[in-house]
Amino acid sequence: MPLLARFFLNKYNTRYKNSARLMESGIKALQEFTWPGNVRQLQHLIEHLTILAPNERIDADAVNHALAAMDSRDEAAETLVEAEEEQIRRVLSATGGNKSRAAQILGIERKTLYRKLERMKL
């Protein structure tokens, strides 16, 4: 688990030009989770944590918060549009409203982000 988590962390730190660090407490929280999904579930969680890492530190609180959010999303039946809108809101929040940075993190052009925000009435 720690090797995979660190591999994904390095991958997403490079992709998003971040320097998030996985703390020992974060590793322990990851190891305590029962992981009903597969490696892809861990990968998505680490990507989420890398983008939203408070103070660029991924500790047990950050991991547990992300796991709780992941569980609540799994319980709600979302459409693809709803999931996309939620992701845009999260990234915008994490970037402090910086649309250029949000578009970069989302992997879309800034014009595309503006069109989506207009559709979302934001």
Side-chain angles (χ1 to χ4, degrees), residues 25-86:
S25 64
I27 291 171
K28 185 173 178 168
L30 289 171
Q31 289 175 318
E32 290 173 355
F33 188 65
T34 54
W35 297 104
N38 54 25
V39 174
R40 195 171 299 158
Q41 184 182 23
L42 172 64
Q43 181 177 358
H44 290 298
L45 181 75
I46 296 296
E47 180 177 23
H48 174 83
L49 287 165
T50 304
I51 293 169
L52 302 177
N55 303 321
E56 298 184 343
R57 294 171 45 110
I58 301 171
D59 59 11
D61 288 340
V63 170
N64 291 327
H65 180 73
L67 288 170
M70 184 175 68
D71 286 344
S72 68
R73 277 196 314 271
D74 289 345
E75 291 172 8
E78 293 184 74
T79 67
L80 185 56
V81 171
E82 291 169 335
E84 178 185 58
E85 289 177 0
E86 179 62 26

Side-chain angles (χ1 to χ4, degrees), residues 75-117:
E75 291 172 8
E78 293 184 74
T79 67
L80 185 56
V81 171
E82 291 169 335
E84 178 185 58
E85 289 177 0
E86 179 62 26
Q87 183 67 10
I88 289 170
R89 282 187 186 92
R90 282 192 188 119
V91 172
L92 277 172
S93 175
T95 62
N98 183 327
K99 293 180 179 89
S100 295
R101 179 77 174 124
Q104 180 186 23
I105 289 170
L106 292 165
I108 59 177
E109 296 290 324
R110 197 173 55 197
K111 289 189 312 187
T112 302
L113 177 60
Y114 279 105
R115 279 195 304 273
K116 291 178 183 294
L117 291 171

